[in-house]
Amino acid sequence: MQNNPYVPIPVDVDKIITEVTTKDIKTFRFTFVNKEDEENFKYLPGQFGELSIFGKGESPIGIASSPTQPGYIEFTVQKAGVVTSELHSMEEGARMGIRGPLGNTWPIEYLEGKNIVIVGGGFAFTTLRSLINYMIFEENRSSFGNITVVYGAREPGLLIYKDELAAWEKRDDINMNVTVDKGDETWTGREGFVPTVCKEVAPSSENAVAVICGPPIMIRFTLPVFFELGFSKENIYTSLEMRMKCGIGKCGRCNVGNKYVCKDGPVFSLAELDTLTKEY
Amino acid sequence: MEKRVIKKDALAGIIKNISNDMLVYAPVQDEDNVLFKVLEPGMEPLVEYANTKNAPKNFFFPQTETMMKYFRTERGRELAEVVEDAADAVLFGVRPCYARSFVLLDNIFDDPKYKDSYYIARREKTVIVSLACVHPPYTTCFCTSVGGHPMSLEGSDVVLTDLGDVYLAEFLTPKGEKLIEKMGNLEAADEALDAKKQELSDTAEKEIKSHIPANDIKPWLDENFENPFWDTIHRSCLACGTCTYLCPTCHCFDITDEVKGEEGRRIRTWDSCMSWLFTMETSGHNPRTSQKERWRQRLMHKFKYFVDNFGAVACVGCGRCVINCPVNIDIRKIVTDISKL
């Protein structure tokens, strides 16, 4: 049974945080029912898990916590389909399952020794948050150069991880640039679209890697900014999403060209994506 | 390798006897079709038949299977049991093309990182007994174009070759050799039979009349994900999925849940890239918007992606998709047309 990759690891819902004013994005903190499962669940930022609810199904979601935060794992989930709707109706203390960790990771070894630019849009900030927490962890921080973050949402109420954003703002070893498309009466921060803010912040491409996640429209307008700043396609990374079932490269539905997003991805550099078909 | 002789009229009885001790999956007549089915007590398998309607992949990778069961508790639904029900078995009467299909499917289900325990458990406990195609059954057979041969030994534990009055039985693997004792007293085969088999092998190869340039089109596929040619093949397709369900190498599946009262099960069922739902995302976005993209995927998967990943074309040339397509889409013609572009 231990070797059966389809059997979910039992977990308990430990804590639920409603992230946005629209209440359709929540962060779920899970603890492992069995200690040995917790020890065996070794992951790195960028990987995902299949959230598994018996009776409803499974949904592949990026891991939002960092391995530097032991004892639990977190996923930030938008209410959308059958599984995520069921999840959103759950209460703390409920028992369910997780399969994982699945997929590849942000290229941690490659990122070490470099300046890192993180660009996130809206709700696609979850595995980026994992990466940020990983990099700024005390023992890891010296392995990375400057860290610049540009994170935007449509309006202040839609920014996720607000407490963490505030905490990161206070640090002097991470350059935070949080923006909203349009502020409200209480918003004192920056206004403007993510691509525009990237242009204003203008991070140097010298010894730097950009990691970009967001809605397609944001990515489309952000990439030219980074090309102009001199970032090569080898030094821009993103993460793909596709419909998945097995998560382990067998059920045949999440391929982009000859790669399975679940097994060979979800993380790809733009240079890698250029070699694949444009079918995602 | 052990070689024995089985009398022609004794074979069906021998297999029937084996089915007293082990699960035997074999070709049987079912109304108008010959189908692979589990032999019920007293049933004899067919030994003389052209080909089966279904591919025997069903035996290792069932059309529907229960993966696990669960039950309701106060905290939610929790695992009751993982259903792994593999038993010692014989898969009798497979054609050499299907035996090869298992070798190809092993790449998917038995990859180094993720082992599909359901498939592997059945595969390990099953002896594959093939019936060589001394006379390839159909004009649509094209195994020799995709790396196979009507009398290939690849993927089989035991191969039986009809030499006219007797079967030459070649026990190729340790698993196959264990079956000898269950077959009663079999005479040893002398070398003259080998020569006769070789002769038949040469004529069988010549009897394959359908040839396609399956290995030549990859360079074109590598370069032409976008090409007007893809507008030409899908128009008559009904998206019925018959080609994928009958294909010995198609392995796509779905995982779904079924609940009844306090209990439920998670099941795996065959799925098909021919269906629009296959890649439909929750958001409403679908990366393959029409049958054109789905057909391109089927072609690319078999003749490019699988070759990229595993070094072989994901087609064994059984011709089943050609025979059974309700609108006569012929993969041989598509491949041949591409080779002329």
Side-chain angles (χ1 to χ4, degrees):
Chain A
M1 183 178 130
Q2 232 172 5
N3 299 324
N4 184 326
Y6 299 101
V7 177
I9 302 161
V11 293
D12 288 329
V13 180
D14 184 49
K15 193 176 172 193
I16 302 172
I17 303 156
T18 302
E19 296 283 359
V20 291
T21 45
T22 46
K23 295 192 167 67
D24 62 341
I25 297 173
K26 293 180 183 175
T27 295
F28 297 85
R29 175 176 293 187
F30 298 104
T31 50
F32 293 90
V33 174
N34 305 312
K35 191 76 188 161
E36 55 184 354
D37 288 336
E38 181 184 328
E39 283 157 12
N40 291 333
F41 198 95
K42 294 198 182 344
Y43 69 99
L44 282 173
Q47 290 192 282
F48 69 98
E50 285 276 0
L51 300 188
S52 189
I53 302 178
F54 284 135
K56 296 295 173 183
E58 299 186 309
S59 187
I61 309 282
I63 303 175
S65 54
S66 157
T68 53
Q69 303 163 306
Y72 61 86
I73 45 171
E74 288 179 342
F75 295 82
T76 303
V77 183
Q78 181 168 36
K79 182 179 172 180
V82 174
V83 176
T84 55
S85 296
E86 177 73 8
L87 186 62
H88 269 251
S89 72
M90 280 183 162
E91 290 173 4
E92 289 169 4
R95 182 158 292 179
M96 50 175 279
I98 290 172
R99 286 197 295 122
L102 300 169
N104 66 357
T105 74
W106 294 119
I108 302 290
E109 274 182 38
Y110 183 69
L111 298 182
E112 284 176 359
K114 298 197 171 65
N115 299 318
I116 310 299
V117 185
I118 305 276
V119 181
F123 150 61
F125 194 54
T126 61
T127 65
L128 295 179
R129 175 229 197 184
S130 171
L131 178 60
I132 293 169
N133 277 324
Y134 180 88
M135 292 191 297
I136 64 174
F137 182 62
E138 211 176 337
E139 286 165 33
N140 294 344
R141 183 64 191 88
S142 60
S143 303
F144 302 91
N146 299 330
I147 300 173
T148 307
V149 176
V150 176
Y151 172 49
R154 285 205 307 278
E155 51 189 86
L158 297 180
L159 290 166
I160 58 176
Y161 311 133
K162 285 182 198 70
D163 292 347
E164 261 173 327
L165 294 177
W168 295 340
E169 295 264 17
K170 293 199 181 87
R171 295 176 67 121
D172 58 7
D173 61 349
I174 173 167
N175 172 11
M176 292 295 297
N177 303 275
V178 178
T179 180
V180 294
D181 296 352
K182 186 152 179 43
D184 55 23
E185 56 280 5
T186 61
W187 180 251
T188 53
R190 198 191 270 266
E191 275 191 13
F193 294 118
V194 166
T196 319
V197 174
C198 288
K199 212 170 190 168
E200 289 163 11
V201 174
S204 162
S205 60
E206 184 72 30
N207 190 34
V209 179
V211 183
I212 304 175
C213 279
I217 187 83
M218 182 205 95
I219 291 187
R220 200 202 313 167
F221 288 101
T222 301
L223 288 180
V225 177
F226 279 82
F227 293 147
E228 206 157 296
L229 289 166
F231 283 80
S232 68
K233 288 184 171 178
E234 285 75 15
N235 285 327
I236 300 177
Y237 281 82
T238 190
S239 182
L240 295 188
E241 287 188 328
M242 290 282 270
R243 182 172 194 190
M244 291 177 190
K245 284 285 179 173
C246 73
I248 53 177
K250 305 197 191 303
C251 80
R253 76 192 63 230
C254 71
N255 70 298
V256 176
N258 58 17
K259 302 276 188 226
Y260 284 112
V261 172
C262 68
K263 189 160 75 84
D264 305 307
V267 172
F268 294 96
S269 72
L270 277 197
E272 287 170 313
L273 284 185
D274 265 1
T275 68
L276 298 178
T277 59
K278 301 288 166 282
E279 195 174 46
Y280 45 85
Chain B
M1 181 189 3
E2 295 280 331
K3 291 188 186 184
R4 297 290 157 81
V5 170
I6 300 176
K7 293 204 175 71
K8 276 292 277 279
D9 54 3
L11 180 60
I14 287 173
I15 302 302
K16 183 180 114 181
N17 284 343
I18 292 175
S19 75
N20 293 332
D21 311 342
M22 299 164 84
L23 194 61
V24 174
Y25 201 59
V28 293
Q29 190 72 39
D30 182 351
E31 297 184 351
D32 288 346
N33 297 314
V34 176
L35 298 176
F36 275 104
K37 285 194 160 184
V38 174
L39 282 191
E40 303 294 336
M43 264 171 80
E44 280 192 359
L46 282 183
V47 293
E48 303 274 351
Y49 62 94
N51 210 343
T52 53
K53 176 102 172 177
N54 60 341
K57 70 175 176 187
N58 191 36
F59 189 66
F60 298 129
F61 169 46
Q63 186 160 11
T64 304
E65 69 181 308
T66 302
M67 306 176 88
M68 58 200 87
K69 293 180 179 171
Y70 42 82
F71 62 106
R72 184 187 287 285
T73 68
E74 282 176 7
R75 311 186 68 176
R77 289 195 187 91
E78 294 186 57
L79 184 71
E81 76 172 302
V82 177
V83 182
E84 288 181 354
D85 56 359
D88 287 328
V90 170
L91 179 49
F92 169 77
V94 311
R95 295 302 186 190
C97 52
Y98 311 143
R100 253 196 97 231
S101 76
F102 301 136
V103 177
L104 296 174
L105 288 177
D106 287 347
N107 287 307
I108 302 292
F109 290 112
D110 194 4
D111 88 293
K113 189 162 180 201
Y114 296 112
K115 305 274 180 198
D116 189 293
S117 18
Y118 303 97
Y119 173 93
I120 292 170
R122 293 191 193 101
R123 189 90 166 81
E124 281 173 353
K125 291 192 167 187
T126 302
V127 186
I128 296 174
V129 181
S130 299
L131 274 174
C133 292
V134 173
H135 300 293
Y138 297 125
T139 55
T140 45
C141 290
F142 58 97
C143 60
T144 52
S145 296
V146 287
H149 188 282
M151 287 175 57
S152 161
L153 306 178
E154 193 182 357
S156 301
D157 296 302
V158 182
V159 173
L160 307 177
T161 308
D162 184 347
L163 300 180
D165 43 359
V166 295
Y167 288 101
L168 171 64
E170 295 170 280
F171 297 85
L172 303 162
T173 63
K175 206 158 64 172
E177 283 175 357
K178 281 193 193 147
L179 210 58
I180 297 179
E181 61 188 50
K182 292 187 181 293
M183 290 189 149
N185 282 327
L186 300 181
E187 272 178 50
D190 62 51
E191 284 179 12
L193 295 180
D194 282 341
K196 190 161 184 195
K197 187 195 156 191
Q198 186 55 49
E199 225 172 86
L200 288 172
S201 175
D202 295 343
T203 52
E205 187 177 333
K206 288 194 191 98
E207 284 181 32
I208 297 279
K209 297 296 183 203
S210 191
H211 301 280
I212 65 167
N215 296 310
D216 302 343
I217 61 170
K218 188 164 177 299
W220 188 89
L221 296 175
D222 286 342
E223 300 297 324
N224 288 281
F225 186 77
E226 300 293 344
N227 189 289
F229 175 77
W230 299 116
D231 295 320
T232 65
I233 58 175
H234 68 281
R235 290 184 187 278
S236 57
C237 179
L238 307 173
C240 70
T242 297
C243 51
T244 54
Y245 294 136
L246 295 179
C247 177
T249 65
C250 276
H251 59 82
C252 292
F253 60 83
D254 196 1
I255 299 173
T256 48
D257 282 58
E258 273 184 2
V259 176
K260 194 175 177 188
E262 298 299 298
E263 294 170 358
R265 59 180 190 146
R266 182 159 286 170
I267 57 177
R268 161 154 81 181
T269 44
W270 292 351
D271 205 344
S272 172
C273 61
M274 294 287 104
S275 157
W276 65 278
L277 267 175
F278 188 64
T279 49
M280 181 75 174
E281 292 168 16
T282 308
S283 63
H285 171 66
N286 193 339
R288 297 190 197 123
T289 47
S290 78
Q291 210 58 17
K292 168 186 158 178
E293 286 81 13
R294 291 166 214 137
W295 249 104
R296 179 172 60 189
Q297 162 66 17
R298 180 167 158 76
L299 247 294
M300 285 282 192
H301 191 193
K302 294 201 172 296
F303 296 96
K304 169 174 159 58
Y305 305 153
F306 209 88
V307 183
D308 285 338
N309 291 328
F310 306 114
V313 167
C315 169
V316 293
C318 70
R320 198 173 266 106
C321 59
V322 179
I323 297 173
N324 291 288
C325 177
V327 293
N328 297 322
I329 295 179
D330 187 337
I331 203 158
R332 297 171 304 165
K333 180 176 184 303
I334 296 169
V335 169
T336 307
D337 285 351
I338 289 176
S339 73
K340 292 174 186 162
L341 292 171

